[in-house]
Each structure stands twice: as structure tokens, then as C-alpha cells.
Amino acid sequence: MRLGLGIGPLGPPGGQMIVQLAREAESLGYDTIWCPEIYGADCFTPLTWIGAKTEKINLGTSIMQISARTPTSAAMHAVTLDYLSNGRLRLGIGVSGPQVVEGWYGQPYPKPLARTREWIQIFRDVVQRKNPVEFNGKHYQLPLEGGMGLGKPLKLILHPLREEIPLYLGAEGPKNVALGAELCDGWIPMFLSPFKMDQLYGESLKTRPPHFDIAASVPVIVDEDVDRALMQIKQNIGFYVGGMGAKNFNVHKDHVTRMGYGSEADHIQALFMSGRRDEAIASVPDELADEVSLVGPKDRIKDRLQAWEESAVTSINVGSRDPDTLRFMAEACL
């Protein structure tokens, strides 16, 4: 089992906190440090900052939203960071949701699977640098159709360090996961239950290649009071299920429903959208919060780690900023 670390918010100006976390994780043998992107800090700049101050820990985006950049722009970012870090980039991508894609980036959200497939093909073509890039799809055209009619196929000037940069797909739905297993090198699941992986994703993962990395984001809280620790997990679940999406379109709510908590998810969303957020969070089932996290005393966490080790998960991305917790997980897993 490999370990990764999700850095979360950047901390005070100057970036010292994320550098200290990255160096601590690197010294403990963590494989990758992952940086998010929502509608705040971008995912590449912090990783560049970290990469300049570390030596071997891999640098992962979790996740870069494909609507934020054209495939060629993202490829330039990725190839440059991979080049400067001596081949340490792992590019996690995802489609986000319509509220962010259309509200923040001003891009259309429909047909996310088809759009992702086209995006990946163009990205791979740019990085492999075999020919000038031409693509005529429903979502992307290179050169652009229309305009001044003067666009020409181009080839990346910088010679990439590697012909293939590992691609990870952040996804929750079975069809999205199947796409990732077909086209990518890894999958970054959210709110994953090791107890229900075969039930929910067994069919989707059948086509995954042998090297496929399932890098699960797992909050870890060492606390003698299990209920207190679970409340922190419930706050995150309640926010995503209740508020990160529209009433009739919320991929996180759909995911929790597939996990067997449909009526509970409806109740959480109804409370959250009526302004009763504290009640929404409190109504998240303890069982749900417990199966997607590792919380409680150290012995309890060690016992519950067995389910993760017996599952198809190959990497745990530890959700914690506590150095003692990072050390504990390194001792337990590495």
C-alpha cells in the first residue's frame, strides 16, 4: 500500500506550511503529494513551489478541472512541471460539476464523458509529440473551425522528459470510473468505501491495466473519542451531499445513494437547502462517515486498515495535516 498526502488549503502566505508538510511526507516515504483545484488556488503553482524544495516525492493534481484549460494548455503546464521536477508529475483530472464549470469557467457541462475522452486523446498526442496536433471532435477542434481560417497544426516545442505522463481520473460514477480504467493510469475516488468496492465498481474496473493505481482520498483522524472524530467527517459529507450541486443534479448525492443511503441523502439535502445546515450534518449516518474514513484510537484505525489493504485500493491519500498522524500512517502502512 502506497501513501499519498492531500495538502488542502495553502496556509499562511509564503507557502512554508505546504513545504514543511511535503518534506515531512517525503522523509516518511510517502509516494505523492496531491494539490486540489476548485475555484481558489490553482493546482500547478503550489506543486511547482513544492517541487523546487523537495527531491523525490511525486507531485499530483487532485484534481485539475478540464474545463479550466484547453488540452494543449494543460499539456504545456504538465510537460513543463514534469520537466522541471525530473519526471515527478501525476496529473489527476476531472470534470467537476455544472455549477463550477458553467458558473466559474463559463464552459458548457453537457456530455462530460465524451468531452473527457476527447480531452485525453489530445493531451496524449501533445505529450507524445509524434506529429503536429490535429483533432476534429464534437467538443474540440484543432485547428479551430471558423475564426480567421488561419490556424495551423502545431507540435510542442519543448521536448517532454517522458512520452507518457501518468493520468488519473477523479470520478464517482460507474461510467466515469470505467472510462478512467480504459484510458488512464489511475483513479482518484472520493467517499470510497473499501467494503463496497466490488459491489459498486467491480464491473467498471474490469478493463483496468495491471499498473492501474487506485489512489483513494481517505480522511484520517486519530482521536480517542470516535464520535467527535466522526463529526468532522460528517461535516464534509453533509456539505458535499447537501450543497455541492443542484437539487436535481448532485453527483456526490448520487454516489451516496448508490452506497445504500438514498433516503438519508434526500434528507441531508432537504435540510441543507432549507438553511438547516447543522441539522443536515448531524443527520449524516455514522456508518457512512465511518466506512469512508479512518478515525478513532490508533488500534481501531489499524484494525480498520485491514479492509483497505484487502480491497483493490493501491494508494491511500491521507487527509491530515498533523505530523504525528502522518508518522503513524507511515508506520502502519509502509
Side-chain angles (χ1 to χ4, degrees):
M1 180 73 72
R2 290 189 293 268
L3 289 180
L5 172 64
I7 61 174
L10 303 181
Q16 291 306 308
M17 186 202 73
I18 59 173
V19 170
Q20 290 170 0
L21 275 174
R23 285 176 170 169
E24 178 71 14
E26 184 176 61
S27 70
L28 291 169
Y30 279 63
D31 182 77
T32 306
I33 187 159
W34 299 90
C35 183
E37 179 173 81
I38 307 176
Y39 41 91
D42 78 285
C43 57
F44 286 107
T45 306
L47 291 176
T48 304
W49 187 258
I50 289 168
K53 299 173 186 294
T54 54
E55 295 180 359
K56 59 185 179 181
I57 194 166
N58 290 308
L59 310 169
T61 60
S62 177
I63 58 173
M64 191 215 81
Q65 299 167 48
I66 66 170
S67 295
R69 300 166 187 85
T70 63
T72 49
S73 174
M76 291 167 65
H77 280 73
V79 166
T80 305
L81 180 51
D82 196 59
Y83 190 93
L84 294 174
S85 66
N86 286 315
R88 288 194 275 157
L89 178 65
R90 293 185 175 182
L91 188 68
I93 64 170
V95 297
S96 189
Q99 288 180 316
V100 173
V101 171
E102 298 183 356
W104 185 247
Y105 295 119
Q107 299 295 316
Y109 184 81
K111 305 292 183 181
L113 282 171
R115 193 156 35 91
T116 302
R117 183 178 291 275
E118 290 189 11
W119 194 101
I120 290 173
Q121 182 60 59
I122 297 170
F123 177 87
R124 298 274 197 207
D125 288 347
V126 173
V127 176
Q128 289 174 0
R129 204 181 172 274
K130 293 180 179 178
N131 299 293
V133 180
E134 296 184 77
F135 191 86
N136 186 21
K138 293 184 178 179
H139 303 275
Y140 300 101
Q141 295 87 37
L142 291 171
L144 177 69
E145 296 178 358
M148 294 182 67
L150 299 177
K152 61 179 290 186
L154 298 170
K155 184 189 289 188
L156 188 70
I157 296 173
L158 176 64
H159 288 250
L161 190 68
R162 299 183 283 178
E163 289 189 356
E164 297 284 349
I165 290 176
L167 272 180
Y168 286 62
L169 188 65
E172 292 174 283
K175 291 182 179 179
N176 302 68
V177 175
L179 181 72
E182 176 191 353
L183 299 179
C184 296
D185 304 283
W187 167 39
I188 305 173
M190 182 180 184
F191 299 145
L192 181 70
S193 168
F195 309 99
K196 297 175 180 175
M197 279 196 67
D198 288 342
Q199 169 193 336
L200 295 177
Y201 299 116
E203 194 66 29
S204 300
L205 292 170
K206 275 186 176 180
T207 60
R208 73 187 188 274
H211 69 275
F212 194 76
D213 185 19
I214 300 177
S217 300
V218 185
V220 181
I221 302 173
V222 178
D223 193 328
E224 293 297 319
D225 189 329
V226 175
D227 291 336
R228 181 171 58 199
L230 284 176
M231 181 53 66
Q232 295 183 53
I233 309 301
K234 292 165 73 170
Q235 288 176 354
N236 196 38
I237 296 173
F239 176 72
Y240 274 89
V241 172
M244 284 295 280
K247 183 176 182 180
N248 60 346
F249 190 94
N250 183 323
V251 295
H252 312 293
K253 178 176 178 288
D254 292 343
H255 171 59
V256 167
T257 297
R258 286 190 295 270
M259 291 177 67
Y261 298 97
S263 60
E264 293 88 344
D266 289 339
H267 186 55
I268 293 166
Q269 186 187 66
L271 289 171
F272 197 95
M273 290 192 164
S274 67
R276 298 156 66 184
R277 295 191 175 191
D278 290 343
E279 293 178 60
I281 290 167
S283 69
V284 174
D286 288 351
E287 296 81 5
L288 169 59
D290 205 15
E291 65 184 283
V292 301
S293 64
L294 287 166
V295 304
K298 290 181 178 180
D299 286 343
R300 183 179 194 270
I301 291 176
K302 287 179 180 179
D303 288 341
R304 295 184 68 81
L305 263 172
Q306 184 175 350
W308 294 92
E309 292 169 343
E310 293 174 352
S311 74
V313 170
T314 51
S315 300
I316 288 179
N317 295 337
V318 177
S320 176
R321 295 188 184 188
D322 176 49
D324 289 337
T325 299
L326 301 187
R327 285 190 286 269
F328 162 68
M329 288 297 292
E331 293 167 0
C333 294
L334 299 181

